[in-house]
Amino acid sequence: MSYFSVLVELEGEQNGRPKKVRELYLTDALSVTEAEANIVKKLRDEGTIQNFQVTKVSETKYLAVV
């Protein structure tokens, strides 16, 4: 397994105006596709974020999370 960083862009609000917010997630997966699927599933299961887009997935150099 490898660790992947997944950048998600979503719409938030600041002072009543729409603003793009970027959130970075870390997941363990076998491929970029699996990493994206993990994050999409997590966000959909939570149900708190409706409109989001995965904008970047990249493999990290982390060996382990302890």
Side-chain angles (χ1 to χ4, degrees):
M1 283 250 177
S2 297
Y3 291 97
F4 290 84
S5 64
V6 181
L7 185 63
V8 175
E9 206 171 83
L10 52 107
E11 292 193 20
E13 282 189 25
Q14 184 177 29
N15 299 328
R17 291 186 283 178
K19 178 183 178 186
K20 286 189 179 181
V21 177
R22 292 179 181 89
E23 295 181 345
L24 187 60
Y25 293 88
L26 182 68
T27 185
D28 57 335
L30 296 173
S31 67
V32 169
T33 304
E34 183 183 2
E36 181 178 359
N38 288 349
I39 299 305
V40 168
K41 181 178 181 336
K42 177 194 180 324
L43 294 175
R44 286 193 179 146
D45 287 350
E46 286 179 353
T48 56
I49 302 172
Q50 299 299 321
N51 297 324
F52 63 89
Q53 180 178 356
V54 174
T55 57
K56 183 179 179 182
V57 180
S58 57
E59 190 171 3
T60 67
K61 294 183 180 183
Y62 295 112
L63 298 177
V65 177
V66 293

